[in-house]
Amino acid sequence: MKQTTKKKTKKLKRYIPLYFMLIPGTIYLIINNYIPMAGLVLAFKKFNYQDGMWKSPWNGLKNFKFLFTGNDAMIIIRNTIGYNLVFIVFGTALAITVAILLNAVMSQRAKKAYQTLILIPYLISIVIVSYIGFAFMSQESGFLNKSVFTENPIQWYATPKLWPFILIFIHLWKNFGYNSIIYYATIIGIDPTLFEAAEIDGASKWQQILHITLPSLKTTIITLTLLSIGRIFYSDFGLFYQVPMNSGLLLDVTNTIDTYVYRALLTMNDVGRSSAAGFLQSILGFIIVWLTNQLVKKVDKDNALF
Amino acid sequence: MKEREDRSMKQMKKWLALLMMAVMCIGLMAGCGSASGGGTGKKETDVSKMPVVKFMAATAGVSDNLEAVEAAINKILAEKYGIQCELMFEGFGSYSQQLNLMLTSQGEVDVFYVGGGPSTYVNNGMIYDITDLWANASEEFKSIFPDAYIEANMVGDKLYAIPSNINFSNEILVHANKAMIDEMGIEIDDEKIWTLDEIHDLVVKAMDKYPDVYGIAPQSGGTLIAQLNWESLGDSYNIGVVEDRGASREVISITDCKEYIEFSKTMREWYQEGLIMQDVLSTTESWSTLIPSGRAFCCFDAGAYPNGMTTDASTYYNLTIYPNWSAANCAVRLGWGIAGNTEHPEAAFTLLQAFYTDSEICNLLSWGIEGENYVVNDAGKAALPEGVALDQNTWTLGFASNWALPNMMGARLSYASVDGEYDRLKAYDASAEISGCMGVVFNSSNVADQYTACINAYNKYYQAILAGVIDTEDGIAQYKAELATAGEADIIAEKQAQINAKYGN
């Protein structure tokens, strides 16, 4: 008994520098991620600048009402969740495919070049992406109308039915590089002897992918997917606001919770309502992450996040 | 030997890690410094006891010479008014966000620039009731504005803001590319009122001559023209309007407004003819870059000033299509208020009064330090000092956006202004038709949920219909239906009630 305590103290002493290194990160988390949570109370208050956060009168659930007035609630929730689901499914599939392809490249120099190239879109600011899009789709001077659809020019920014495809394409193009690097990092960590053994046993490349690479990626896939599901009620503001050039005619397919709240509260300065929207997004996100995690736990306990 | 080296290496690593941690901890605190100082002349004992009023404004100009200008103003304030000030200037883009943050804590700002009327600020408790302070204001201060403009800044029976001293009426006109018109050899009478047909013929001629140029550019990104002669009570979303400059005082849906429908039909024809920039809804470029660079021929401007006064007369012909009128919200577009949580409201009001009535202070605010930031030319106007270009000047509030100061007319004119510009502006305002709903500024707080839903419908259809991008009749039918489900009727009723409250039934 005494010895174990001694051992523990010794261990603690040994790791003290590590604990110290934890301090800045912890302080940062407390200041930036935990203290502001108190602000959630604003979602239930009729916020008044003179009275401040705590003394403002309570407002019940009235701040949430604006999200559900009119026909827009269904549209914005459908768009937010719908796009995110498509992004998760296609994004993951594309990223894994690219990561496997990257792993199959033999030349080190080519590998490095590809890694850099696929990361570039991720690093471009969304405002610049929106203008690249405009250069393609401008009605009068865009590349597509000038070179491809010269006979029947298309009013790109006034044709809603095209935009689900455009937005999905741009999102995938912009993000696949970053995600594939994460999957690629996992793939190069797989024990190479597994592949060697499989090859000796006569497994084809396809069989190796199916039976070695994919199962080894499972934990990473689950973690990344759970993280994305947690943000399923949020949307990439730049993608849905900047890329369609804020064109009103496209709102039915481009309006998400974030852009709706932004447009609605732009001129009203209403702290309570904006907090209510943020509150709803994070709480619903948390519930869904929790549910998904429970599901993962049931199917495969080792891979659950918590 | 090697072991010892290893150990000392390990020790060093440990220390480095600790050092790094310490640096990170200090780094965390980097943003937490308090901004002390700023107020000048605090060393003198009597000045140090004076209340310091914090003044915040938006500007498009440069305020790098802040220390010197603040010191000069404080000298005057100490001698004449017994107060001190601290000046803060923000760009227009970041102003309202910065202001909101500052208003949440006490003592950060006392006097600030109020955009779009005080009602939002009153709803949120951000602004101080200055009714009594105004009642005791100097006669000189009170005489700057007609009573109607002061009343427009009241919410209920309390006064919350003082309007900026600018022009209070606007006309709707077309800015046309002067170089192109002159090259085509067309004689222009820019004093008369132009009809839409005449504008149409002019644009057609220009496009025949210059086929690669946009005929009509947007007034601003995504907006062909903001609005016409209907009164929206300061509601930029135009949900519920009063026709004919507010004459009837009867609020109707924008989708029933005859002028909106007729103008949209005309624009639809023009759009299909290719006269209007086809990307009008998605472009972010504005006429002020497109026309001077020769890429566009003309544009509408619904908030224009008198001919030749704000747009460069060597670049544009300004063709009036509807003469000037004062909209109901004309006196609340720009104004000045005192923070709701201020510690010394009297001193803040004294400062405001000095900023409106003391011409020395007005000049300092507009033009900076004489000899350094500006010189007075032979005509008595403020000009750039010799050898100092505008982009090298350390104080350009007056040159860039003097209308965003409390009283630009209290300072001398800019060298670029026409003689007697401010007198002309006052005469222009005096000639304006006054809105039938003058002073009624829509307060959306009772119908906020319906209002946000209607804004969404507005974003979808209002400009698309008005710019002629979609078919007028189909568009209006859809717009009408969506506004109805969003609760437009409640907003119309609320607007009507607010008009009735001021003007009776």
Side-chain angles (χ1 to χ4, degrees), chain A residues 153-221:
Chain A
I154 295 174
Q155 282 187 300
W156 293 93
Y157 290 94
T159 315
K161 62 178 185 220
L162 300 170
W163 279 83
F165 302 102
I166 296 171
L167 289 173
I168 290 167
F169 175 79
I170 290 179
H171 175 88
L172 293 180
W173 168 77
K174 194 164 169 8
N175 290 293
F176 83 100
Y178 181 76
N179 291 330
S180 21
I181 300 281
I182 296 179
Y183 287 113
Y184 176 62
T186 318
I187 290 177
I188 51 175
I190 300 172
D191 187 353
T193 52
L194 289 174
F195 290 106
E196 282 160 22
E199 222 168 283
I200 290 166
D201 287 345
S204 67
K205 275 276 167 212
W206 178 243
Q207 283 169 323
Q208 289 178 32
I209 289 169
L210 219 55
H211 298 290
I212 303 173
T213 319
L214 285 181
S216 314
L217 282 175
K218 202 162 87 180
T219 322
T220 316
I221 296 174

Side-chain angles (χ1 to χ4, degrees), chain A residues 20 49 131 138-140 269, chain B residues 21 100 124 278-279 284:
Chain A
F20 267 117
Y49 282 75
Y131 282 95
S138 155
Q139 202 179 330
E140 251 162 310
N269 252 331
Chain B
M21 187 221 57
N100 280 338
N124 295 330
Q278 301 292 298
D279 286 315
T284 46

Side-chain angles (χ1 to χ4, degrees), chain A residues 66-79:
Chain A
F66 86 104
L67 283 171
F68 304 100
T69 313
N71 286 342
D72 303 318
M74 277 316 295
I75 293 174
I76 56 174
I77 292 172
R78 176 201 72 192
N79 285 348

Side-chain angles (χ1 to χ4, degrees), chain B residues 200-423:
Chain B
H200 176 266
D201 296 343
L202 190 65
V203 179
V204 170
K205 272 185 202 156
M207 290 196 74
D208 283 343
K209 169 101 179 171
Y210 308 97
D212 291 335
V213 160
Y214 298 122
I216 302 174
Q219 179 182 343
S220 61
T223 303
L224 179 71
I225 179 168
Q227 77 172 88
L228 287 138
N229 292 301
W230 52 83
E231 175 59 75
S232 65
L233 310 180
D235 163 20
S236 55
Y237 301 107
N238 291 290
I239 297 154
V241 296
V242 184
E243 285 186 302
D244 300 329
R245 303 183 167 185
S248 67
R249 292 185 188 145
E250 188 199 341
V251 185
I252 58 168
S253 165
I254 183 74
T255 55
D256 293 327
C257 173
K258 283 186 214 85
E259 193 185 15
Y260 180 71
I261 300 169
E262 290 310 313
F263 192 83
S264 300
K265 278 183 182 159
T266 313
M267 290 306 112
R268 178 67 181 158
E269 285 163 18
W270 292 18
Y271 186 84
Q272 286 177 321
E273 276 177 69
L275 302 186
I276 295 171
M277 183 188 204
Q278 301 292 298
D279 286 315
V280 61
L281 293 185
S282 43
T283 186
T284 46
E285 287 186 286
S286 97
W287 59 274
S288 55
T289 52
L290 289 168
I291 297 179
S293 64
R295 286 189 291 142
F297 174 66
C298 70
C299 72
F300 290 108
D301 188 347
Y305 295 125
N307 198 3
M309 283 183 59
T310 47
T311 45
D312 183 0
S314 61
T315 314
Y316 304 98
Y317 282 117
N318 296 308
L319 316 174
T320 307
I321 47 179
Y322 298 105
N324 62 320
W325 66 295
S326 295
N329 70 324
C330 70
V332 304
R333 287 174 303 186
L334 304 164
W336 297 86
I338 294 175
N341 54 12
T342 182
E343 282 160 349
H344 26 63
E346 285 84 13
F349 191 80
T350 308
L351 179 105
L352 208 49
Q353 181 161 310
F355 278 19
Y356 272 94
T357 52
D358 195 306
S359 63
E360 258 184 286
I361 295 181
C362 289
N363 274 316
L364 280 163
L365 280 173
S366 271
W367 310 116
I369 305 289
E370 188 173 352
E372 188 184 342
N373 301 117
Y374 77 103
V375 290
V376 180
N377 69 11
D378 298 338
K381 296 176 185 172
L384 288 165
E386 219 181 303
V388 178
L390 191 59
D391 54 5
Q392 298 161 340
N393 202 340
T394 51
W395 192 271
T396 63
L397 266 57
F399 293 113
S401 56
N402 58 350
W403 45 268
L405 292 165
N407 185 8
M408 66 171 184
M409 298 191 197
R412 50 180 86 250
L413 282 169
S414 151
Y415 70 94
S417 306
V418 287
D419 287 329
E421 178 172 311
Y422 296 148
D423 298 331

Side-chain angles (χ1 to χ4, degrees), chain A residues 14-27:
Chain A
R14 200 173 141 207
Y15 288 127
I16 273 183
L18 292 182
Y19 283 113
F20 267 117
M21 286 175 82
L22 200 67
I23 293 175
T26 317
I27 295 177

Side-chain angles (χ1 to χ4, degrees), chain A:
Chain A
M1 188 66 199
K2 204 176 171 191
Q3 215 175 357
T4 47
T5 344
K6 210 173 169 190
K7 224 176 171 181
K8 263 188 185 165
T9 353
K10 206 179 162 194
K11 225 177 173 181
L12 192 73
K13 215 171 162 188
R14 200 173 141 207
Y15 288 127
I16 273 183
L18 292 182
Y19 283 113
F20 267 117
M21 286 175 82
L22 200 67
I23 293 175
T26 317
I27 295 177
Y28 174 85
L29 271 181
I30 290 172
I31 293 178
N32 276 3
N33 294 34
Y34 282 89
I35 294 180
M37 273 192 205
L40 285 178
V41 74
L42 288 173
F44 304 97
K45 293 222 165 193
K46 188 174 174 13
F47 182 70
N48 182 318
Y49 282 75
Q50 261 167 25
D51 298 332
M53 194 160 101
W54 302 111
K55 287 182 193 155
S56 293
W58 293 99
N59 200 19
L61 293 175
K62 276 189 194 148
N63 286 337
F64 292 86
K65 216 177 130 197
F66 86 104
L67 283 171
F68 304 100
T69 313
N71 286 342
D72 303 318
M74 277 316 295
I75 293 174
I76 56 174
I77 292 172
R78 176 201 72 192
N79 285 348
T80 314
I81 297 181
Y83 279 116
N84 274 326
L85 284 178
V86 175
F87 291 167
I88 291 170
V89 173
F90 284 91
T92 311
L94 184 65
I96 293 173
T97 314
V98 172
I100 291 172
L101 290 176
L102 210 54
N103 191 43
V105 176
M106 283 300 164
S107 149
Q108 280 303 318
R109 191 179 279 179
K111 209 180 255 190
K112 285 222 169 96
Y114 292 143
Q115 276 187 43
T116 315
L117 280 177
I118 59 172
L119 253 186
I120 288 176
Y122 180 77
L123 300 172
I124 301 178
S125 148
I126 194 76
V127 178
I128 295 175
V129 172
S130 72
Y131 282 95
I132 296 175
F134 192 64
F136 275 92
M137 297 180 287
S138 155
Q139 202 179 330
E140 251 162 310
S141 48
F143 171 77
L144 290 174
N145 278 0
K146 282 272 178 203
S147 331
V148 186
F149 303 99
T150 39
E151 292 295 306
N152 300 308
I154 295 174
Q155 282 187 300
W156 293 93
Y157 290 94
T159 315
K161 62 178 185 220
L162 300 170
W163 279 83
F165 302 102
I166 296 171
L167 289 173
I168 290 167
F169 175 79
I170 290 179
H171 175 88
L172 293 180
W173 168 77
K174 194 164 169 8
N175 290 293
F176 83 100
Y178 181 76
N179 291 330
S180 21
I181 300 281
I182 296 179
Y183 287 113
Y184 176 62
T186 318
I187 290 177
I188 51 175
I190 300 172
D191 187 353
T193 52
L194 289 174
F195 290 106
E196 282 160 22
E199 222 168 283
I200 290 166
D201 287 345
S204 67
K205 275 276 167 212
W206 178 243
Q207 283 169 323
Q208 289 178 32
I209 289 169
L210 219 55
H211 298 290
I212 303 173
T213 319
L214 285 181
S216 314
L217 282 175
K218 202 162 87 180
T219 322
T220 316
I221 296 174
I222 288 173
T223 311
L224 287 183
T225 309
L226 272 176
L227 286 176
S228 332
I229 285 176
R231 297 193 58 80
I232 203 161
F233 283 95
Y234 292 87
S235 56
D236 180 347
F237 184 81
L239 180 70
F240 292 99
Y241 188 82
Q242 303 279 7
V243 175
M245 300 305 248
N246 190 18
S247 174
L249 290 172
L250 305 176
L251 280 187
D252 278 339
V253 293
T254 61
N255 218 4
T256 59
I257 298 177
D258 293 274
T259 55
Y260 180 79
V261 170
Y262 177 78
R263 288 196 183 94
L265 304 181
L266 188 60
T267 52
M268 292 174 76
N269 252 331
D270 194 323
V271 179
R273 283 194 169 80
S274 0
S275 312
F279 182 84
L280 205 66
Q281 285 175 309
S282 48
I283 294 294
L284 289 178
F286 176 75
I287 293 173
I288 289 193
V289 166
W290 187 77
L291 285 176
T292 322
N293 194 62
Q294 290 306 100
L295 201 76
V296 173
K297 231 181 195 168
K298 266 217 168 113
V299 179
D300 181 358
K301 211 171 174 191
D302 292 339
N303 281 317
L305 211 55
F306 50 87

